[in-house]
Structure formats: structure tokens, C-alpha cells
Amino acid sequence: MNRRKLLSLVTTLSILIGLVFVATPFFASMNRNKAAKSSSKIRIDLSEIPEAGALEVDYQWYKALVVKNPKMTVFVVPYSDGTYWLPDPTWERPFLPCNKFLIREDGFYCKDPSLHEGWHEQTQWDSQGSNKGTWMPDLQKLNFRIQGKYLVLSPEYN
């Protein structure tokens, strides 16, 4: 092996080892620490959840709707600035704003007076999150865990 090949080999190995040493802390910093994980969790006392209807809870950029009928389920609806953002299947706009979202014992409804009456038929869901209309999607479900007397919502469960 001549000097040129030896020098090229040593240089290549040094670069590769250097990249490993630089990349290791970078990728390790991408994992959230325990404090960040625990602060992103939301604990809901099971006794606060009504037998009929739903409990509405702020969860990141969503409203979480916790339902106990017939089994425990959590639905999420995008929420921002006092407005629920429903999907718009017509593609006229990215989201359909709903300023009056009703939670009743038999389900969920958007009764925003600024929307056309035809939308009111589509923006209805039963208590299991299934859409009562013909083309609006069902409500999105969120994974959760029961820990003692608390229902826990966390991004790491999804």
C-alpha cells in the first residue's frame, strides 16, 4: 500500500468517525425528555365524565370530546380561536368553520347560522362518532389510557 492510498483511507475513516460523533448527540436530542412528555399529557378525572353527552377538553390544537356511552371513547375535532374546523369535502376551502358546535346526549352537531342549511344535514354525528349525513367523514378517534382514576391523553399514545 502506497502513501497516497494510506492517507486517503485514514482521511475517509476520520471523516466517518467524526460524522458518527457529530450525529449521535443530534439524534439523541430529538427524543423528548421525561419533563416534556409529562407536560404534554392531560389527565381527566373519570368522575367528571358525564354518563350521557360528552366532556369537552382542550387538547393541543383540538377539542377532545370524551364520551362514556356505551364504552369510553375520545374524539378530536380541530379547534382554534373559538371555532371548530370541520373537513370540507367540496374542496372550496381547506376547512369548514363551525362557530356553534353542539354536544348533546344523542351526538354532536354543527348548527352555525352562517352556514347554508344543507351543511346542517351533513354536520351531524351520533355518540359513537359516525356521521349521520352522506359524505362527511366520521369523527377522528384518539387513543388514551386509564391510569387509576384518571383518563390520560398523550401524543405518545397515537
Side-chain angles (χ1 to χ4, degrees), residues 18-82:
L19 286 174
V20 168
F21 278 108
V22 168
T24 301
F26 174 73
F27 288 114
S29 71
M30 294 176 117
N31 293 328
R32 295 185 306 158
N33 61 19
K34 288 182 182 180
K37 284 181 182 179
S38 67
S39 69
S40 65
K41 289 183 181 181
I42 295 177
R43 289 178 173 76
I44 303 166
D45 193 339
L46 291 172
S47 63
E48 294 177 7
I49 302 169
E51 293 296 325
L55 177 67
E56 187 178 24
V57 180
D58 288 329
Y59 179 68
Q60 298 175 348
W61 302 279
Y62 298 91
K63 282 287 188 176
L65 308 170
V66 184
V67 178
K68 201 186 259 190
N69 178 15
K71 64 176 188 166
M72 192 76 66
T73 310
V74 179
F75 302 108
V76 289
V77 179
Y79 182 83
S80 175
D81 299 326

Side-chain angles (χ1 to χ4, degrees), residues 74-154:
V74 179
F75 302 108
V76 289
V77 179
Y79 182 83
S80 175
D81 299 326
T83 304
Y84 288 85
W85 296 98
L86 306 177
D88 186 358
T90 65
W91 290 87
E92 286 183 24
R93 53 193 162 222
F95 294 104
L96 177 71
C98 177
N99 292 313
K100 187 161 183 171
F101 193 80
L102 303 176
I103 300 170
R104 297 187 182 153
E105 291 182 9
D106 61 337
F108 312 99
Y109 304 88
C110 177
K111 294 295 182 188
D112 193 335
S114 65
L115 294 177
H116 186 270
E117 196 63 35
W119 284 103
H120 294 183
E121 298 170 10
Q122 297 300 322
T123 56
Q124 299 180 27
W125 297 267
D126 61 18
S127 60
Q128 282 78 40
S130 298
N131 184 258
K132 295 179 182 180
T134 55
W135 45 262
M136 185 68 78
D138 295 341
L139 291 177
Q140 182 181 357
K141 291 184 180 180
L142 189 66
N143 294 327
F144 61 90
R145 294 200 179 143
I146 303 289
Q147 294 178 349
K149 64 176 191 165
Y150 294 101
L151 180 137
V152 181
L153 303 176
S154 177

